[in-house]
Amino acid sequence: MMKKIGILALFLYSCAPTQSPSKSTPSTTPASTDTPAVASGGRTNISDQTNQSNTHTILAKALKESGFANTLKGAGPFTFFAPTDSAFYKSDEMPALTQPQEVPKLRKILAYHIVPGMWYTQNFQQMMDDKGIKRVELKTMTAQLLTVTKQDTLWIITDANGNRASIIDANLKRSNGVVHSINALLEPK
């Protein structure tokens, strides 16, 4: 009987709707789960796909060093704004982030690029159209906000300091969320 209740609870939990960004539980500490790399259906999770990307080699290393590689292998769902290698090179933070003593700062920066839930660009557009607004605010894992706006056909992400990044490759579906590749590093306050 207990086994049936446990299976039923697991089933109900897996069918529950995802939380909106405003209901997320912030955490800048990476998860330590060890989940499979490939989910059912053969799609790759966010972490492993980042490892396979030629334009995100610095990000893949940063995820591993900070422990967020395991977080982004987790069930999610996550929306991950993934800075390219050139985004890291453009940042004034880059030299410091490569130092072992800067891992706490690196964790905070990476957590700021992760939003609980799945947000495709069509979701941004639909929310803007439905509510008659010109921007969408998303709460990251650091409990700080990112602002999403649209300029012509370009999606812009603005961080808490006013720095802007453009989504250069959008809506990359993964087994545990969606990735938007961006051209600048976002920095929390």
Side-chain angles (χ1 to χ4, degrees):
M1 178 69 173
M2 289 301 287
K3 186 174 182 179
K4 287 182 181 178
I5 292 172
I7 292 171
L8 179 61
L10 181 60
F11 174 76
L12 291 174
Y13 176 76
S14 68
C15 293
T18 59
Q19 292 181 321
S20 67
S22 61
K23 296 179 182 176
S24 65
T25 305
S27 172
T28 58
T29 306
S32 59
T33 59
D34 216 358
T35 57
V38 178
S40 61
R43 294 185 317 247
T44 307
N45 65 49
I46 293 170
S47 181
D48 288 342
Q49 188 61 46
T50 302
N51 281 332
Q52 297 168 13
S53 171
N54 293 331
T55 58
H56 294 96
T57 58
I58 296 170
L59 178 60
K61 184 177 179 186
L63 290 172
K64 184 177 180 183
E65 288 176 5
S66 67
F68 273 106
N70 287 334
T71 299
L72 293 176
K73 285 182 182 184
F78 305 107
T79 299
F80 185 44
F81 295 100
T84 61
D85 289 345
S86 62
F88 275 95
Y89 286 125
K90 288 192 305 189
S91 171
D92 294 336
E93 296 288 335
M94 177 57 183
L97 292 178
T98 61
Q99 304 302 316
Q101 66 272 18
E102 293 297 326
V103 169
K105 185 174 189 173
L106 179 62
R107 283 187 186 129
K108 188 173 181 181
I109 288 173
L110 292 174
Y112 192 57
H113 288 76
I114 303 170
V115 175
M118 290 180 69
W119 289 90
Y120 291 93
T121 55
Q122 21 319 11
N123 301 122
F124 303 143
Q125 188 66 60
Q126 183 175 0
M127 183 176 275
M128 289 175 179
D129 292 346
D130 290 351
K131 296 188 176 195
I133 55 177
K134 295 188 185 251
R135 64 186 192 157
V136 175
E137 291 184 332
L138 302 176
K139 190 179 283 189
T140 70
M141 289 182 74
T142 63
Q144 293 186 45
L145 298 177
L146 292 174
T147 302
V148 180
T149 55
K150 189 174 184 184
Q151 293 180 350
D152 297 319
T153 59
L154 192 62
W155 289 98
I156 307 294
I157 312 300
T158 305
D159 67 20
N161 300 302
N163 302 314
R164 296 165 41 120
S166 299
I167 295 178
I168 55 175
D169 200 1
N171 304 317
L172 305 170
K173 186 173 181 167
R174 301 294 176 246
S175 63
N176 59 348
V178 61
V179 176
H180 301 289
S181 189
I182 58 175
N183 67 353
L185 195 63
L186 303 168
E187 297 178 37
K189 282 195 175 212

